[in-house]
Amino acid sequence: MQILDGKIVSQAVKDALKIKTEALKNSGKKTPHLAAILIGNNGASETYVASKVKSCEEVGFKSSFIRLPDTVNESDLVAAIEQLNKDEDIDGILVQLPLPKQISEAKIINVINPDKDVDGFHPMSVGKMVQGLPTFIPATPYGILLMLQHYNIETKGKHAVVIGRSNIVGRPMSILLSRNTYPGNCTVTICHSHTQQLKEICLQADIIVAALGIPGFLKAEMVKENAVVIDVGITRVADETKKSGFAIKGDVDFINVAPKSSYITPVPGGVGLMTIAALLINTYNACEQKSL
Ligand code: GUN
């Protein structure tokens, strides 16, 4: 069993980006600039956005952090995004999800200029991804592809089982793993809350991506010997032994699944770090495209 180490792979991505960013600046081009909008006071979202902004600094990008109250109305949020769309210094726009109830996620994602859609959530980006055209790929599935690539994990002809069908992870992951490229060429099964015989399907998987958000859901008896196990879960669970009062738990019962797997991502220290690395690549590409 080998750990897929998000710390090592994300650091390699960041080191390479830092050098490329320095080179951009030295050649008189603009510095990549990410704008992140955070609405309300969701603790997990605060942590994620803070990490994204900090990572921008680490690689020499500019970042702008826009905080709006939980009570913000849709038209004020639209106005804030349109401002960023117009701002020529901003290369990438990220609206941290989930959004408060009064705001339509679909409507907000539609307002983001597709050229600045570094999350890859705009229907234009999703459509291009489905057609295999160059575009921004959503950061979590993109980060997982980078991880598979870094460890040279064979994907061609493998049966990949993706658990979860969210627009952020499960659905794009299933499409990307089926593409005619590397990593890809998998036979993909996408499972969700209505899937019957989930255990039997999981037992057929050479690669399992667990992205359902239920801590410890994937048990050892659901995993074939030598499967590649990718854990996307990052649920906060109360833990009085931690200073923060909570621990981060993945969707995989790591202790029991790890000995059966060929490769496995830990939580924390796995996919979460890769998500940020992939977002940085998208932001760099958004900037470079503009500098052409
Ligand atoms: N919420 C959970 N994951 C993500 C992500 O990748 N991007 C955004 N914008 N919000 C998220």
Side-chain angles (χ1 to χ4, degrees):
M1 182 271 295
Q2 183 170 358
I3 297 281
L4 299 172
D5 190 333
K7 237 185 187 158
I8 290 176
V9 187
S10 68
Q11 193 59 52
V13 170
K14 287 198 272 188
D15 290 347
L17 276 178
K18 193 170 178 181
I19 292 166
K20 283 169 70 172
T21 304
E22 193 66 31
L24 263 192
K25 288 185 205 172
N26 290 342
S27 65
K29 300 215 170 112
K30 78 179 287 304
T31 303
H33 187 169
L34 176 72
I37 301 181
L38 174 64
I39 298 139
N41 303 298
N42 176 311
S45 291
E46 297 226 11
T47 308
Y48 303 146
V49 174
S51 304
K52 291 171 184 180
V53 168
K54 183 169 156 269
S55 300
C56 281
E57 282 163 25
E58 277 173 42
V59 297
F61 292 2
K62 287 208 270 182
S63 62
S64 295
F65 173 51
I66 295 129
R67 180 191 277 281
L68 296 170
D70 208 20
T71 51
V72 71
N73 62 40
E74 209 168 71
S75 55
D76 287 347
L77 178 54
V78 167
I81 296 169
E82 281 172 346
Q83 186 74 30
L84 297 170
N85 282 343
K86 270 193 287 191
D87 187 336
E88 294 213 341
D89 197 57
I90 303 285
D91 301 295
I93 302 170
L94 175 158
V95 180
Q96 187 67 24
L97 304 177
L99 298 174
K101 288 186 300 290
Q102 72 274 19
I103 296 176
S104 153
E105 205 171 281
K107 183 166 176 192
I108 291 307
I109 287 170
N110 247 303
V111 176
I112 297 170
N113 175 351
D115 291 339
K116 301 189 179 190
D117 176 36
V118 287
D119 260 326
F121 295 163
H122 191 284
M124 179 87 88
S125 310
V126 177
K128 286 183 174 175
M129 179 195 66
V130 171
Q131 294 190 342
L133 299 171
T135 188
F136 299 113
I137 293 174
T140 300
Y142 187 13
I144 292 169
L145 296 182
L146 292 170
M147 188 97 110
L148 293 170
Q149 201 166 19
H150 182 93
Y151 286 92
N152 259 316
I153 294 173
E154 180 62 274
T155 58
K156 188 163 62 180
K158 303 291 181 193
H159 184 187
V161 171
V162 178
I163 315 174
R165 56 179 159 183
S166 72
N167 289 337
I168 297 180
V169 187
R171 207 182 300 274
M173 187 81 264
S174 66
I175 291 161
L176 292 161
L177 286 172
S178 74
R179 289 194 306 183
N180 184 7
T181 183
Y182 177 77
N185 283 312
C186 292
T187 302
V188 180
T189 303
I190 182 157
C191 299
H192 46 74
S193 48
H194 294 277
T195 296
Q196 295 180 2
Q197 297 182 312
L198 180 67
K199 179 181 164 192
E200 287 70 22
I201 295 170
C202 287
L203 277 169
Q204 294 173 23
D206 303 304
I207 300 169
I208 303 188
V209 180
L212 69 162
I214 301 178
F217 179 86
L218 190 77
K219 304 272 187 268
E221 63 265 23
M222 301 166 79
V223 179
K224 184 167 84 174
E225 280 297 329
N226 292 320
V228 176
V229 179
I230 308 291
D231 190 348
V232 182
I234 33 167
T235 308
R236 288 182 171 199
V237 176
D239 183 342
E240 280 166 16
T241 67
K242 304 271 188 221
K243 213 165 78 189
S244 61
F246 62 84
I248 302 291
K249 292 277 178 229
D251 290 348
V252 176
D253 177 14
F254 184 89
I255 299 273
N256 295 308
V257 171
K260 287 184 92 174
S261 57
S262 54
Y263 296 91
I264 187 165
T265 62
V267 176
V271 171
L273 297 171
M274 293 310 301
T275 296
I276 295 179
L279 172 72
L280 295 175
I281 296 178
N282 281 346
T283 304
Y284 180 89
N285 289 341
C287 172
E288 214 193 17
Q289 240 127 58
K290 217 158 58 185
S291 312
L292 289 176

